[in-house]
Amino acid sequence: FERICEAQRLVFLFNFSDRTQEDYLLNVEDCPALRPLICSEWEEYGGTRKADKGMLTTVDGTIMVTLPPFSGLCLLAEHANG
């Protein structure tokens, strides 16, 4: 799911199954990088991982992610022009 509001783009990924979704390819046009905002796997949201809010760089507008079972991820899409 992608939410666009004026100059801000948010991308939401969910895995509602009981199986890990490995190597999920996400196409995000005109986006050189994505910044994680919320991850249900982070400790602060009841998960088991430390928060990692570092930028995720796309390659040709694509990024590969792994989604654990019953998880969600919210990413802020950076603009191609900065």
Side-chain angles (χ1 to χ4, degrees):
F1 174 76
E2 184 174 1
R3 170 83 167 119
I4 301 171
C5 181
E6 295 181 15
Q8 189 176 61
R9 287 172 69 187
L10 296 175
V11 178
F12 298 87
L13 300 171
F14 298 98
N15 180 4
F16 294 113
S17 77
D18 62 351
R19 297 188 178 163
T20 298
Q21 303 298 315
E22 293 185 35
D23 302 332
Y24 179 81
L25 285 176
L26 175 66
N27 295 313
V28 189
E29 294 180 18
D30 300 323
C31 175
L34 298 152
R35 179 185 311 277
L37 298 178
I38 299 173
C39 176
S40 63
E41 292 299 300
W42 291 345
E43 289 176 340
E44 61 193 284
Y45 300 111
T48 58
R49 293 187 355 209
K50 298 265 186 218
D52 179 5
K53 298 182 181 182
M55 297 296 285
L56 305 173
T57 304
T58 61
V59 177
D60 296 326
T62 302
I63 193 163
M64 187 179 298
V65 296
T66 295
L67 295 168
F70 308 111
S71 66
L73 181 61
C74 174
L75 304 165
L76 175 64
E78 296 293 321
H79 296 286
N81 58 4

